Amino acid sequence: MGQLAAGIAHEVNNPLGVVIMFAHLLLEDLPADDKRREDLQTIVENADRCKKIVSGLLHFARQNKVTPALTDVCELVDEVARLTIVPANVTLEVEHGAPEQAAEVDRDQIAQVLTNLISNALAAMPDGGRLTLRTDGDADSVRIAVADTGVGIPEENRASIFTPFFTTKPVGKGTGLGLAVTYGIVKMHRGQIEVASNANPAKRPTGTTFTVNLPRKSQKG
Ligand SMILES: Nc1ncnc2c1ncn2[C@@H]1O[C@H](COP(=O)(O)OP(=O)(O)OP(=O)(O)O)[C@@H](O)[C@H]1O
Ligand SMILES: [Mg+2]
């Protein structure tokens, strides 16, 4: 699956780049009041969207190498939190069980995991809420939790969320690769990812918590 995806994505990438470039050139040549501008704009937007999907696929297929380095996971979480654009109606909280959690992980990939989980959490809270990033650990592993007070994941979707291209977002919004990539990264670190969620407000307040467990020692160590 990965190789096929990478192959196709790579082949599609170049002609797509040509389409985008020539559409942009045409757009530049058209006078500002030309009626065809709108159509051309639509072409550019949708070709750009294809490009995004393709690069998502390429990224997904390339996720096969971990470069571990001793990392303070607390600091990494702080850093990602600092770079997150938090909507005005969302409160972001960071809670560290201990001041430091050292683990041999691929810093960029774990940052990507966090970014994906945070982006999903924010998308699940269109009317605002609370986003909590929590770190903890024991002798062997570190734990990072991303919790939201959003709409929750309905029971019937739970089994599908890690599948590539599964998305409940409207066409043009999600590619459904975020959690698939996330799962791949966690597995390559020989870690686990778990989800607890409630989508039924009659039971208790809705929300979702993803918990990532990562061994402190990488395979090489
Ligand atoms: N925190 C969450 N709360 C509610 N639903 C979630 C949450 N995280 C994931 N989901 C559900 O899982 C689906 C798959 O998530 P995933 O990140 O793989 O793809 P996506 O967010 O739809 O698209 P992409 O991440 O590629 O932009 C989402 O469409 C959504 O239905
Ligand atoms: Mg996502």
Side-chain angles (χ1 to χ4, degrees):
M1 157 73 193
Q3 282 203 339
L4 183 66
I8 294 172
H10 195 256
E11 289 307 303
V12 169
N13 218 13
N14 293 331
L16 202 53
V18 175
V19 169
I20 291 171
M21 186 178 77
F22 276 88
H24 274 290
L25 286 178
L26 273 176
L27 204 55
E28 275 169 28
D29 286 347
L30 282 189
D33 58 346
D34 197 300
K35 286 198 183 66
R36 290 168 297 181
R37 281 193 84 87
E38 214 172 296
D39 292 352
L40 213 45
Q41 200 70 53
T42 308
I43 292 175
V44 169
E45 270 164 29
N46 282 279
D48 275 341
R49 162 115 190 97
C50 289
K51 192 120 180 121
K52 259 196 208 146
I53 295 175
V54 165
S55 64
L57 257 182
L58 269 178
H59 192 81
F60 178 67
R62 275 187 194 138
Q63 298 287 337
N64 54 12
K65 212 172 128 260
V66 180
T67 313
L70 194 62
T71 304
D72 177 7
V73 171
C74 295
E75 189 228 283
L76 180 57
V77 168
D78 286 340
E79 164 99 14
V80 173
R82 198 169 56 76
L83 296 175
T84 302
I85 298 163
V86 187
N89 57 5
V90 171
T91 317
L92 171 63
E93 277 167 358
V94 181
E95 299 172 3
H96 297 308
E100 210 183 297
Q101 297 289 353
E104 292 170 3
V105 298
D106 188 312
R107 196 187 159 88
D108 290 344
Q109 290 186 1
I110 299 306
Q112 160 113 58
V113 163
L114 288 170
T115 308
N116 289 348
L117 294 178
I118 290 170
S119 126
N120 287 347
L122 293 176
M125 300 189 288
D127 303 324
R130 201 172 56 252
L131 170 63
T132 313
L133 310 179
R134 229 175 274 125
T135 65
D136 225 323
D138 57 28
D140 301 322
S141 62
V142 297
R143 191 163 58 245
I144 312 170
V146 177
D148 67 62
T149 57
V151 292
I153 304 169
E155 208 100 36
E156 64 267 27
N157 290 349
R158 278 311 142 82
S160 318
I161 54 171
F162 294 105
T163 310
F165 301 115
F166 175 84
T167 181
T168 58
K169 290 176 184 160
V171 179
K173 276 282 191 293
T175 59
L177 287 172
L179 282 180
V181 167
T182 297
Y183 184 86
I185 292 174
V186 172
K187 281 296 143 191
M188 280 187 308
H189 281 78
R190 291 178 305 126
Q192 295 96 37
I193 182 163
E194 279 160 25
V195 57
S197 187
N198 174 40
N200 179 2
K203 275 208 293 198
R204 60 198 144 79
T206 60
T208 305
T209 302
F210 281 90
T211 308
V212 175
N213 254 289
L214 300 168
R216 287 192 193 268
K217 285 245 151 241
S218 74
Q219 195 116 50
K220 286 197 311 195

